[in-house]
Amino acid sequence: MVDNRYATALVIGSVLSLLACVYLSVAMGTQHWYQYQFTTEDVDEKTYSDALFRLNGTLGLWWRCILVPKNTHWFREPEPKLETKCVAFTLSQQFKTKYEEPGNHNSGEHLLRTYLWRSQFLLPLVSVGLVFLGGLIGVCACLCRSLTPTLGVGVLHLLAGLCSLGTVCCFLAGMDLLHNKLELPEGVTYSLGWSLYLALISSPLQIMAAALFLWAARSHRKNYTRMIAYRVA
């Protein structure tokens, strides 16, 4: 029999975990991580960065988008209608080498930017995977009517929260290094997008869920140990 306090903690933790997973999944699948105020797929970093700078672009973990005229003869209209054109990063592009001078293959590899970019791609996948694994263990724990596996669920959620936080940190660090190499055109500004904030929110949600799972498992184990000791006495 599970105490009501532990049951409540498990329910709240599960809701927080679900919200975090949804937020992070939406953040991964959308391009609004970085916004600026290439329609071809195989372009180098400098080419698409310049396009993002000049054409109100948005950048995500898997996408890059720009605003382009909907009508090819837009110059004949005083206020042309614009539409968003997005191109996904291919798997090979996600693991592509970053150079000291973006677009210049002869400038040498920039190791820090290379691994920051790869990490921002892999870490959210690891985070979501850990949450799903924790969910499977939680379902097994419910079927077995045991709170012992909840300790493992808490640890997995804690690691997932750290991975989510690491994703945001790697992305922001990588963008800062890129801006140090490529100066923004005059009059162009940038801002953080809502996708990044979703990923950022998912991290504390996962950590709070982890805290609830760990508390429930630890407290239940203490009470169970006391009960066994009382029966033996």
Side-chain angles (χ1 to χ4, degrees):
M1 196 68 181
V2 179
D3 190 288
N4 287 336
R5 294 175 301 166
Y6 308 145
T8 302
L10 293 177
V11 170
I12 295 175
S14 299
V15 171
L16 292 176
S17 175
L18 179 61
L19 285 175
C21 189
V22 170
Y23 287 169
L24 185 58
S25 298
V26 172
M28 284 193 297
T30 52
Q31 72 276 10
H32 298 282
W33 282 65
Y34 230 74
Q35 302 177 141
Y36 297 95
Q37 226 158 292
F38 89 123
T39 57
T40 58
E41 182 174 321
D42 190 19
V43 295
D44 60 40
E45 186 180 27
K46 186 177 188 306
T47 302
Y48 72 72
S49 294
D50 287 343
L52 291 173
F53 293 166
R54 298 179 184 279
L55 298 175
N56 298 322
T58 58
L59 180 67
L61 297 184
W62 296 348
W63 296 90
R64 55 189 186 272
C65 302
I66 56 176
L67 286 177
V68 296
K70 190 173 184 179
N71 189 340
T72 55
H73 303 292
W74 64 272
F75 53 85
R76 296 179 181 177
E77 302 179 13
E79 294 184 1
K81 295 181 180 180
L82 301 176
E83 62 179 358
T84 302
K85 292 289 187 180
C86 296
V87 178
F89 289 106
T90 63
L91 186 61
S92 61
Q93 287 173 332
Q94 294 285 10
F95 292 93
K96 199 171 184 179
T97 299
K98 303 298 179 183
Y99 299 99
E100 290 287 346
E101 296 178 11
N104 184 359
H105 296 190
N106 298 320
S107 60
E109 181 180 3
H110 194 302
L111 285 176
L112 182 56
R113 287 205 310 120
T114 298
Y115 286 102
L116 283 174
W117 187 276
R118 293 173 182 176
S119 296
Q120 77 183 31
F121 170 69
L122 293 173
L123 285 176
L125 297 177
V126 173
S127 179
V128 173
L130 289 172
V131 171
F132 274 110
L133 179 59
L136 290 176
I137 295 175
V139 170
C140 293
C142 291
L143 294 176
C144 297
R145 296 183 179 181
S146 172
L147 274 178
T148 303
T150 309
L151 182 63
V153 176
V155 172
L156 290 175
H157 276 76
L158 179 60
L159 293 175
L162 294 177
C163 288
S164 299
L165 182 60
T167 300
V168 176
C169 292
C170 288
F171 182 84
L172 292 177
M175 293 305 300
D176 185 63
L177 290 173
L178 177 62
H179 288 160
N180 289 337
K181 300 293 182 180
L182 294 177
E183 293 186 4
L184 292 175
E186 186 177 354
V188 175
T189 60
Y190 61 86
S191 62
L192 304 181
W194 58 265
S195 299
L196 185 141
Y197 288 114
L198 281 182
L200 189 60
I201 292 172
S202 70
S203 177
L205 289 178
Q206 289 168 328
I207 292 175
M208 285 190 290
L212 288 171
F213 290 138
L214 292 173
W215 174 82
R218 188 168 179 271
S219 299
H220 177 73
R221 185 176 181 180
K222 279 186 176 181
N223 288 344
Y224 181 77
T225 303
R226 290 174 183 172
M227 187 181 299
I228 294 298
Y230 176 77
R231 289 179 178 178
V232 171

